[in-house]
Amino acid sequence: MEARMKSVANPDVITGIQHLHKAIHAGGVDPLVLELVHLRASQINGCSPCVFAGVQSAKKHGETEERLHNVVTWRETPFFTEEERAALALTEAATRIQDGAPAGPPSWAPTFG
């Protein structure tokens, strides 16, 4: 599997990302939901440093190992709230828009909820 994102070395890009991160966290969304969203987008993008940082940050916000191990399969597990599921679905749709990937699970996939 090839990473969707290449290493970001441009300081202007890094500064821009930092400003976006600050603005997103000032928007009033539950920080734990934001951590789950970041982790899922990082998984899709194949950014291993981002996945590592996302896991570490989510743990600092009180996330459990069980849920962290299941973010990648959130549709097939009963561990996430409806709010979290909506955020993860939106994350996948926005992150994979260029792929033309379907917005939902495969027809054979079980769902919980």
Side-chain angles (χ1 to χ4, degrees):
M1 176 185 215
E2 183 179 332
R4 291 168 47 103
M5 294 182 65
K6 305 301 180 207
S7 177
V8 179
N10 184 327
D12 292 334
V13 173
I14 293 170
T15 299
I17 290 170
Q18 289 171 337
H19 287 293
L20 283 170
H21 189 264
K22 183 177 179 182
I24 288 166
H25 282 271
V29 176
D30 179 353
L32 198 49
V33 171
L34 292 176
E35 296 299 340
L36 294 174
V37 163
H38 174 259
L39 177 56
R40 185 65 190 120
S42 298
Q43 290 170 336
I44 293 167
N45 286 328
C47 179
S48 61
C50 300
V51 169
F52 181 83
V55 167
Q56 296 305 313
S57 185
K59 284 180 179 180
K60 288 179 185 175
H61 282 92
E63 190 54 87
T64 67
E65 292 284 338
E66 182 175 47
R67 285 172 33 108
L68 287 170
H69 286 291
N70 284 284
V71 168
V72 71
T73 58
W74 66 269
R75 292 183 197 280
E76 291 81 31
T77 61
F79 306 125
F80 302 98
T81 67
E82 288 305 312
E83 177 189 37
E84 292 164 341
R85 289 176 181 283
L88 290 166
L90 181 59
T91 300
E92 287 186 2
T95 305
R96 300 196 65 202
I97 200 164
Q98 184 177 346
D99 298 349
S107 60
W108 53 264
T111 57
F112 294 89

